[in-house]
């Protein structure tokens, strides 16, 4: 995984709602830049990378959903329990994003 992507994902748990949206947009842009072609018989790396892209996009959707619910909690004044569970959710999503993006980047590096 490139350092820039890893830094962005690491930033998610403490980022403002606006910044979370910016990060999600940047990550989506990275995914859209990957050209998915059906691999030849000896190019299984491309297929693996292409399989990870939908999963990464789903995780970004979940990050956005978390971000919207977090914003609603802030607007309504949130309880300590809500805050703690929200942090656990974004930490889990960040870990999953790092894992999936590292798989995509590793395959890209091998092919490049």
């Amino acid at each position: 995984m490139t350092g820039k992507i890893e830094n962005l994902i690491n930033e998610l748990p403490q980022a403002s709602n606006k910044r979370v949206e910016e990060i999600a947009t940047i990550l989506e842009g990275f995914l859209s830049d990957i050209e998915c072609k059906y691999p030849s018989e000896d190019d299984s790396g491309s297929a693996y990378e292409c399989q990870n892209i939908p999963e990464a996009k789903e995780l970004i959707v979940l990050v956005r959903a978390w971000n919207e619910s977090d914003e609603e909690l802030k607007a309504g004044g949130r309880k300590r329990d809500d805050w703690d569970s929200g942090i656990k959710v974004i930490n889990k999503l960040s870990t999953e994003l790092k894992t999936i993006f590292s798989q995509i980047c590793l395959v890209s590096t091998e092919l490049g």
Side-chain angles (χ1 to χ4, degrees):
M1 172 172 14
T2 66
K4 180 180 179 183
I5 292 171
E6 186 173 4
N7 289 341
L8 288 171
I9 294 170
N10 286 337
E11 189 181 331
L12 283 172
Q14 57 273 1
S16 68
N17 294 95
K18 181 180 177 184
R19 182 66 179 148
V20 169
E21 181 59 34
E22 291 170 356
I23 292 169
T25 301
I26 292 167
L27 295 176
E28 282 177 333
F30 173 80
L31 294 173
S32 68
D33 287 345
I34 297 172
E35 190 173 330
C36 274
K37 298 178 183 173
Y38 287 102
S40 61
E41 289 179 20
D42 62 339
D43 190 13
S44 61
S46 291
Y48 185 69
E49 181 175 75
C50 291
Q51 288 173 347
N52 284 313
I53 290 173
E55 186 175 345
K57 287 181 179 180
E58 287 176 25
L59 288 171
I60 293 170
V61 167
L62 293 174
V63 166
R64 281 196 163 114
W66 171 84
N67 194 39
E68 287 177 22
S69 67
D70 185 60
E71 195 168 358
E72 290 170 11
L73 284 172
K74 285 179 183 172
R78 59 175 155 172
K79 299 175 186 171
R80 177 77 182 160
D81 293 341
D82 294 335
W83 185 81
D84 287 343
S85 65
I87 291 298
K88 288 177 186 173
V89 169
I90 195 60
N91 284 337
K92 183 176 187 258
L93 289 171
S94 295
T95 300
E96 290 177 19
L97 275 170
K98 277 191 253 187
T99 300
I100 201 78
F101 270 91
S102 70
Q103 292 168 350
I104 291 170
C105 293
L106 284 174
V107 174
S108 292
T109 302
E110 290 170 6
L111 296 175

